[in-house]
Structures are given as C-alpha cells and as structure tokens.
C-alpha cells in the first residue's frame, strides 16, 4: 500500500473499521515511511482539533420560543432526508408476490392464535371467560370469590456476615509490573497486606457453602448521593470541583546510560552543577513546554455506570523545565458539576521517551461518577465532563511551532471500553492491576480475570514475548499467588 | 391520545436537539452562508421547526445527521434564492480568494492553530465542509456522508486530500516565513 493512501488518514482519525484497523496497524509497524506519514497527519489533525472554534452563537429569544412551541396544523410524518438514496421498485410480480406472502403470514399467525385460544385451558383464559361485561360495556368482577394472597416465606440462603479468610498463602511480595511500558504510581499503602485483601473480594462460592452476599453495586452506592460517593473514596464535585495533579518534568528524562566495566580509558569530564542563585536574585521557573494533549473517556470496565477518563500530555523530555527536579507544574482538572457527581484519581504516571524518540508523556487516569446516569450513545456531540488547564505552560508542536491552547475539554460521547483503542485498553488493564495491588475499595467487578481479559484484548495477535505478553504472564502469576 | 403522545415525544426531541446542536448548527449554517449569522439563525430555526413535523421514532436514531442534512439543504435553498450558489465550481471559489497570507497575520508570533484554520479557507468548498463537520461539529464519517450525500469513501478521500493540502500549505508558509524561536 502506498503511504499516501486515504486509509492512512482514516486510520489516524479513528474511522477505520476494526478489522481493517488491525491490518493497517501491522502495515504501519513494518513501514517507517508510513509511520512518518502518520505522524504528519496526526500533527495536522491535532492542530485542527486544538484550533477548532467553539460554536457559541444562539438563537434569539423569539426564535427559541418559536422553535419550542409546537406548530399548529396537522403533523406530516416525512423523513425529509432528500439525499437518502431512492429505493428502486422491484420489477415484475415481486411486489404482488410479497403482498400475497404477507397476507398469508398474517392469516397463518391469526389462525394459529385463534386455535390456540380455543383449545388452551390456562388460567388467564378461564378468568377472562368468567369475567362478565355489564350493559355499559364495563368489566364486572368474576363471581368467583377472591382468595386473599398470602405471602409465602421465600427460602433464601442465609446471609454470611463474616468474610471468608484468605487462603493461607504466604503473602509474597506483590510483583511490580516492571516489564510493562507504563508503570502505575504505587500508593503509600503497603502492598503485602493488600494482596490478601484482593484475594478475599472476588472469591467464588464453594458448592456446599451458602452463597455469599454479593457486595452492593458500587454504581448504586456511589451515585446515591454525593456524601456516599465521597465516603467510598470519591471526591464529590459539589465540594471540590477541581482536581490537581503535579507534573515534574525532571522525572520524564531518560535515565543516564550505565557504562559497563570498572573504568574507562578516557572517562567523560564531570559537568559541574550550576552555581546556586544569589540570595537577592530572583529565579524564574521556565515554562513547561507541551507538544500536544488529549483526553479520552469511555465506560469503566469494572463498573459500567462509571466512566474512565485518560488525560495524556506529551512533552519534550529535554527542555529547560526538566533540568531541575524542583520544577513542578500543576495540572488543573475542573469537573463539570452538571455532568459529574464524583471522581477519583486512579493513577498518574510519567512515561519516559522510547528509544529513538524525544517525547515523554504524563498520563493521568480518573474514574468518574456521572451525574444523571449513563450517556446516551446516540448523542455523539458528547457532553463536557471536565476542562483541563496547565498554568505556566506553553504549547509548541514539533513540526509547526507554537500554538495557543489554553484549555482542553474532555468530552464524554458515551463510548464503550470495548470499542476503545488497544493502548487505552492495555493501560486500563495496568491501572486495574494497580488498583488490585493497592486493595482499593469500590472496585466493582474488577479482579485478575478482568485485568487479563483487558490485557488480552489489547494484545490481539501480537507476539507473546513482547511487553504486553510479559504483563499478561505477570498478572497470571499474581492471580495464581493470590489463590483465586 | 396517540397525537398527544407523539407531541410529547416531538417536544422532548426538539428540546434535547436544541440544547445539543443549536450553536453547532448555527456555526455550520453560517459557514455555508458566507458567515451571515443572522441568516444562519433563520435557517436553524426552520430546521428545528421541521423537526416538529418529523416522526420522532424515525428521526431519534440519528437526529444529528438529520439536523445537519436539513440545515444544509435549507441553507442551499437560501443561497439558490439569492442566486449565490455555485456548487462544484471550485475554481471560481478559489479565484475569489487571496492565496497569499495576510501580512498582518503572518508575523513570527502567529499561532499555529489560527494559521491552520486560516489555511482551511484556501481549500475547496467540499474539502472545507468535511473538515468543519469533522473538527468543529465532531461528526463521524458516517454522519458527514449522511449530511452531505457523499459516500463514506468519498468523505475519507476528501479528508485525506484536505489534510495533505493543509500540510503542503503549512510547509510552504513556514518556509517563506520561518518562525523565530
């Protein structure tokens, strides 16, 4: 395929069907020319996205009132899609034949229903027959005396209050997903205790033991009110609408290459540290350079009522802001009160540049409790769930120079995680694994099986020896160790 | 009874559609009507009034594409009445535009995003339309195809050519006016 093929643009814009997308991905991976072309298309596409003017004009008050008032006169149901392709009339006797077949089908179904009604002796039929009709045509009650209903006690499985203790597996230190390309930021909670906790939650019921009471749906609990959402580890938007995370660009710098061996014949000269600034000298923190940023929102795999939001900021690894570890920049994520009831930060991580690239990334994951249930998938315009700003940042694209991008809107278009791109899925699996290791509460249906499912779906037909394959083996090992 | 039920459905549909697409449709109509916002408002008002007359059950499935289609046709009706419509004659459209960047706009401190959207003005009418529908109105290829009457493949091709042309224009402009660091 030629790198100038329109399908490459279609792929870059996420419009290619899944089957073709897989083929295209494989082709791009093996074709450096196509990779360069794709990068160029994405740069332009990102710029168009960032610079797209936001429509703000509204109808006048009178016009709006006229629109919202139903027009008088008979309603005419016409699809009014003049550009829809016209349906060609079928030649010959096909319409006649189709009509005959329809009549025959209606007669057959009607006849069958009539015969069934005559010969069935079900209670509904009997009751209807006994129900008389008075002179006015109103239904009269049956002469049969009404028997009051008794509430029969339903045999239910006894509720087990205590938690089944975890299998006496030695709590081996939790494996860190070191081989994975993205490393979730570990929480301060000790991991060892959490492995046992994770093993308790999704333990399947044994055949002989009474059925354990399932945990209440976190979606219901979390959306019951802002207070309960808050109590379960979510921050209520009504109380704190702005979430803040910190970027330390110094951490995105790749680690210095370690030289094997004891000594070099000509060791590199040590660069002296920069002199400390004088007491009265004002040091100015350099601006944070950002190459591009984007957000993605999809359903949460472990809680379909919730949404997952990924915020990705791409920044050059080698920039003035990354020279000092003291440089820190805040990212403000302002959630829309109308669209979001609560949120929690699941993970944030720095991703060092890959070999041959100078672009690092900072990725943050939020779980969002929507305000007012799930989003209607048909509404592709989406709704704004959050606005992201980075004070003290300047935007500088690699190829075309600086651009103005003061804020980024996170739109929820009702996308499902099953339709998300594979990198989103794979990172979701890593975030989920991190949540399991940390033993976070309110995890819904999250368990090792779901993490594996996500990772395998993201892996596709990639080689098992790759990073994703290694991660899958790691999760399998963790699952085995926890005894689930 | 049924009429009342339909009226309620239609009322809800119109209200929801108005909340979601009012501004986007005005912007879209204005882009077709050479930036005439007042006329665009009239077109959008007509569009929503037509929505009242449509069958809510049929339209609800893809109300976005329906609205953009009707809005587009109504805008073209307005242009036809004023005899300002010249569909498909890209050369004439191009001739009437100045290809050279405005000197006041091409200073070194010019922002990329403004520049790129100014360059969009230099594309042909149908390329502009698919780009605007994609990036401003967030339409999928399928929606764009439904609204414009093109096939999805045609939409993809137009988008590809438009982006390639933008890259060329941007490179040309940068080579003529290199950005000072």
């Amino acid at each position: 395929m030629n790198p100038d093929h329109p399908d490459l643009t279609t792929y870059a814009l996420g419009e290619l069907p899944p089957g073709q997308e897989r083929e295209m991905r494989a082709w791009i991976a093996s074709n450096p020319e196509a990779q360069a072309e794709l990068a160029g298309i994405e740069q332009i596409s990102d710029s168009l996205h960032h610079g797209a003017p936001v429509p703000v004009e509204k109808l006048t008050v009178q016009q709006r009132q006229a629109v919202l008032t139903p027009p008088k006169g008979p309603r005419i149901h016409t699809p009014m899609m003049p550009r829809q392709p016209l349906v060609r009339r079928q030649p010959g006797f096909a319409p006649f034949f189709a009509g005959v077949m329809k009549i025959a089908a209606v007669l057959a179904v009607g006849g069958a229903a009539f015969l069934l009604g005559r010969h069935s002796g079900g209670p509904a039929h009997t009751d209807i027959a006994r129900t008389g009709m008075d002179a006015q045509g109103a239904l009269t009650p049956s002469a049969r005396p009404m028997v009051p209903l008794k509430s029969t006690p339903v045999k239910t499985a006894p509720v087990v209050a205590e938690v089944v203790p975890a299998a006496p597996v030695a709590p081996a230190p939790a494996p860190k997903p070191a081989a994975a390309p993205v490393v979730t930021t570990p929480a301060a909670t000790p991991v060892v205790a959490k492995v046992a906790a994770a093993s308790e939650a999704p333990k399947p019921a044994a055949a002989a033991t009474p059925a354990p009471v399932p945990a209440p749906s976190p979606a219901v609990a979390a959306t019951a009110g802002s207070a309960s959402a808050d109590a379960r580890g979510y921050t209520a938007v009504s109380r704190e609408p702005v979430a803040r995370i910190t970027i330390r660009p110094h951490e995105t710098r790749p680690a210095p290459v370690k030289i094997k061996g004891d000594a070099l014949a000509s060791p590199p000269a040590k660069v002296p540290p920069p002199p400390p600034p004088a007491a009265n000298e004002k040091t100015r923190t350099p601006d944070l350079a950002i190459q591009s940023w984007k957000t993605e929102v999809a359903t949460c795999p472990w809680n379909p009522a919730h949404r997952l939001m990924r915020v990705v900021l791409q920044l050059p690894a080698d920039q003035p802001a990354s020279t000092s570890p003291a440089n820190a920049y805040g990212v403000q994520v302002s959630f829309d009160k109308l669209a979001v009831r609560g949120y929690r930060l699941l993970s944030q991580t720095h991703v060092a540049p890959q070999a041959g690239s100078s672009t690092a990334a900072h990725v943050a994951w939020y779980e969002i409790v929507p305000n007012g249930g799930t989003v209607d998938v048909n509404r592709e315009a989406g709704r704004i769930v959050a606005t992201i700003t980075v004070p003290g940042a300047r935007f500088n694209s690699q190829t075309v120079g600086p651009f103005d991008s003061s804020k980024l809107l996170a739109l929820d278009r009702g996308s499902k995680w099953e339709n998300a791109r594979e990198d989103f899925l794979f990172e979701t699996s890593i975030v989920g694994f991190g949540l399991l290791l940390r033993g976070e509460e309110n995890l819904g249906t999250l368990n090792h099986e779901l993490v594996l499912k996500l990772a395998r779906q993201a892996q596709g037909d990639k080689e098992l020896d790759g990073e994703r394959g290694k991660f899958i083996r790691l999760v399998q090992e963790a699952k085995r160790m926890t005894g689930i | 009874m049924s009429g009342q039920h339909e009226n309620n459905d239609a009322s809800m549909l119109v209200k929801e559609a108005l909340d979601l697409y009012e501004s986007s449709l005005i912007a879209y109509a204005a882009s077709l009507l050479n930036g005439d916002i007042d006329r665009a408002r009239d077109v959008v008002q007509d569009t929503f009034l037509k929505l009242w007359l449509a069958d809510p059950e049929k339209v609800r499935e893809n109300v976005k594409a329906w609205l953009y289609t009707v809005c587009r046709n109504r805008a073209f009706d307005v242009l036809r009445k004023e005899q300002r419509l010249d569909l498909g004659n890209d050369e004439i459209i191009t001739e009437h535009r100045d290809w050279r960047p405005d000197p006041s706009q091409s200073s070194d401190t010019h922002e990329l995003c403004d520049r790129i959207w100014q360059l969009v003005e230099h594309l042909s009418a149908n390329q502009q339309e698919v780009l605007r529908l994609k990036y401003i109105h967030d339409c999928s290829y399928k929606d764009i195809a439904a609204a414009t009457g093109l096939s999805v493949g045609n939409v993809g091709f137009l988008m590809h050519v438009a982006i390639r042309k933008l890259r060329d224009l941007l490179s040309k402009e940068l080579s003529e006016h290199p950005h000072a660091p």
Side-chain angles (χ1 to χ4, degrees):
Chain A
M1 192 191 290
N2 184 358
D4 193 27
H5 198 277
D7 279 357
L8 196 59
T9 306
T10 310
Y11 171 79
L13 301 186
E15 294 275 357
L16 216 54
Q20 287 183 38
E21 194 184 62
R22 205 172 299 123
E23 288 173 14
M24 179 65 77
R25 202 179 302 124
W27 177 70
I28 291 168
S30 63
N31 192 331
E33 203 180 339
Q35 288 167 19
E37 186 72 13
L38 180 66
I41 294 169
E42 284 179 340
Q43 287 280 359
I44 294 290
S45 181
D46 282 350
S47 307
L48 285 166
H49 262 303
H50 289 307
V54 179
V56 289
E57 297 291 343
K58 300 271 182 189
L59 293 175
T60 62
V61 178
Q62 290 84 0
Q63 284 175 326
R64 197 177 170 81
Q65 200 173 355
V67 164
L68 289 174
T69 310
K72 290 175 184 171
R75 292 169 57 79
I76 308 162
H77 283 172
T78 51
M80 285 186 293
M81 296 285 268
R83 299 212 180 264
Q84 290 285 322
L86 292 171
V87 180
R88 285 188 182 175
R89 288 183 178 277
Q90 293 175 342
F93 66 98
F96 172 74
F97 182 71
V100 169
M101 288 302 290
K102 279 179 191 170
I103 292 167
V106 167
L107 287 175
V109 171
F114 176 73
L115 289 174
L116 203 67
R118 277 181 70 104
H119 296 293
S120 69
H125 177 262
T126 313
D127 283 350
I128 291 168
R130 284 178 184 173
T131 306
M133 194 175 276
D134 60 14
Q136 284 78 32
L139 289 172
T140 55
S142 165
R144 191 172 57 177
M146 292 180 73
V147 182
L149 290 173
K150 289 180 183 175
S151 57
T152 312
V154 181
K155 288 181 182 177
T156 53
V159 175
V160 182
E162 70 266 17
V163 178
V164 181
V169 177
K176 285 180 70 177
V182 178
V183 181
T184 54
T185 312
T189 324
V191 172
V192 177
K194 299 303 181 187
V195 174
S199 69
E200 288 167 6
K203 195 175 177 68
T209 54
V213 178
S217 167
V220 176
T223 53
S226 58
S228 63
D230 211 12
R232 286 179 156 270
Y234 294 93
T235 306
V237 174
S238 57
R239 218 181 56 194
E240 198 177 330
V242 180
R244 290 178 179 83
I245 52 177
T246 305
I247 296 181
R248 295 182 187 281
H250 185 75
E251 294 174 14
T252 61
R253 289 169 75 96
V257 181
K258 288 182 180 176
I259 301 166
K260 289 181 180 176
D262 293 334
L264 290 173
S266 56
K270 285 189 177 178
V271 179
N280 56 354
E281 188 184 344
K282 283 186 179 177
T283 53
R284 184 183 171 279
T285 309
D287 288 341
L288 175 70
I290 294 178
Q291 283 179 349
S292 70
W293 55 349
K294 66 176 177 180
T295 59
E296 285 169 276
V297 182
T299 49
C300 180
W302 48 88
N303 193 338
H306 291 190
R307 320 288 297 163
L308 275 186
M309 179 173 83
R310 178 171 74 160
V311 183
V312 183
L313 290 94
Q314 288 193 316
L315 30 141
D318 199 11
Q319 59 169 308
S322 63
T323 51
S324 167
N327 292 339
Y329 302 85
V331 179
Q332 294 183 358
V333 184
S334 308
F335 289 96
D336 188 334
K337 286 180 188 175
L338 294 175
V340 180
R341 187 191 298 272
Y343 64 89
R344 65 172 170 176
L345 177 67
L346 300 180
S347 159
Q348 62 166 323
T349 179
H350 289 303
V351 183
Q354 293 180 342
S357 168
S358 61
T359 303
H362 188 89
V363 187
W365 286 84
Y366 285 93
E367 187 178 337
I368 295 172
V369 185
N371 204 356
T374 52
V375 175
D376 185 353
V377 180
N378 288 333
R379 297 178 187 173
E380 290 188 8
R383 59 177 177 180
I384 298 169
V385 290
T387 307
I388 295 109
T389 50
V390 187
R394 63 184 167 82
F395 294 81
N396 198 339
S397 172
Q398 264 182 330
T399 53
V400 279
F403 60 97
D404 180 27
S405 188
S406 54
K407 62 181 180 181
L408 173 69
L409 299 178
L411 283 171
D412 184 0
R413 297 191 180 91
S415 308
K416 293 184 176 175
W417 66 265
E418 291 92 339
N419 302 328
R421 292 177 74 139
E422 60 173 29
D423 59 327
F424 186 94
L425 280 180
F426 186 64
E427 288 186 25
T428 305
S429 68
I430 294 174
V431 169
F433 189 46
L435 290 174
L436 281 180
L437 290 178
R438 276 152 36 200
E440 295 277 354
E441 59 176 355
N442 208 354
L443 294 184
T445 57
L446 181 64
N447 53 22
H448 289 89
E449 202 55 53
L450 181 59
V451 171
L452 281 172
K453 182 183 172 186
L454 288 165
R456 282 180 183 136
Q457 192 167 332
Q459 187 194 25
D461 48 4
K462 285 190 170 55
E463 290 179 13
L464 291 174
D465 294 336
E467 297 292 332
R468 297 186 181 185
K470 286 179 189 170
F471 176 70
I472 288 172
R473 285 198 294 278
L474 189 72
V475 179
Q476 283 170 334
E477 198 171 335
K479 180 184 168 189
R480 188 180 56 78
M481 287 167 70
T482 52
I484 297 172
Chain B
M1 191 73 183
S2 167
Q4 181 66 31
H5 179 68
E6 278 185 359
N7 246 351
N8 288 342
D9 270 3
S11 168
M12 200 175 293
L13 181 67
V14 170
K15 193 171 181 319
E16 285 175 4
L18 191 66
D19 289 344
L20 282 172
Y21 303 115
E22 177 188 6
S23 299
S24 297
L25 283 172
I26 294 174
Y28 177 55
S31 72
L32 298 174
L33 296 167
N34 305 317
D36 191 337
I37 293 288
D38 289 335
R39 212 173 290 264
R41 283 199 184 99
D42 292 341
V43 165
V44 172
Q45 183 189 1
D46 286 354
T47 305
F48 282 111
L49 288 174
K50 282 190 178 177
L51 185 57
W52 272 106
L53 302 175
D55 185 351
E57 291 306 314
K58 286 180 183 170
V59 174
R60 192 181 290 277
E61 285 176 12
N62 202 353
V63 69
K64 185 175 183 179
W66 190 95
L67 286 168
Y68 276 89
T69 306
V70 174
C71 180
R72 183 178 193 267
N73 292 341
R74 184 77 193 99
F76 283 164
D77 286 345
V78 170
L79 288 176
R80 271 192 207 99
K81 277 181 189 168
E82 297 177 2
Q83 298 180 339
R84 291 194 328 208
L85 181 65
D86 191 359
L87 279 176
N89 197 344
D90 293 346
E91 287 177 11
I92 292 175
I93 295 168
T94 312
E95 274 175 14
H96 284 282
R97 293 199 173 113
D98 186 1
W99 273 79
R100 291 167 300 173
D102 180 356
S104 65
Q105 300 290 327
S106 60
S107 65
D108 288 342
T109 54
H110 199 301
E111 306 289 356
L112 163 70
C113 296
D114 290 343
R115 276 210 306 270
I116 204 156
W117 277 99
Q118 281 164 8
L119 292 175
V120 168
E121 301 285 324
H122 298 156
L123 302 177
S124 69
N126 49 8
Q127 288 168 357
Q128 281 188 42
E129 188 175 11
V130 293
L131 270 184
R132 287 205 169 96
L133 283 169
K134 178 72 188 168
Y135 290 102
I136 299 178
H137 306 286
D138 208 20
C139 290
S140 63
Y141 276 16
K142 212 171 155 186
D143 286 341
I144 298 172
T148 56
L150 297 166
S151 69
V152 173
N154 274 343
V155 172
F157 180 76
L158 278 173
M159 195 73 77
H160 173 72
V161 174
I163 289 180
R164 195 179 54 193
K165 206 164 172 181
L166 279 178
R167 286 174 68 188
D168 293 345
L169 287 171
L170 207 58
S171 307
K172 188 180 167 191
E173 190 176 305
L174 285 172
S175 63
E176 288 173 3
H177 306 277
H179 175 74

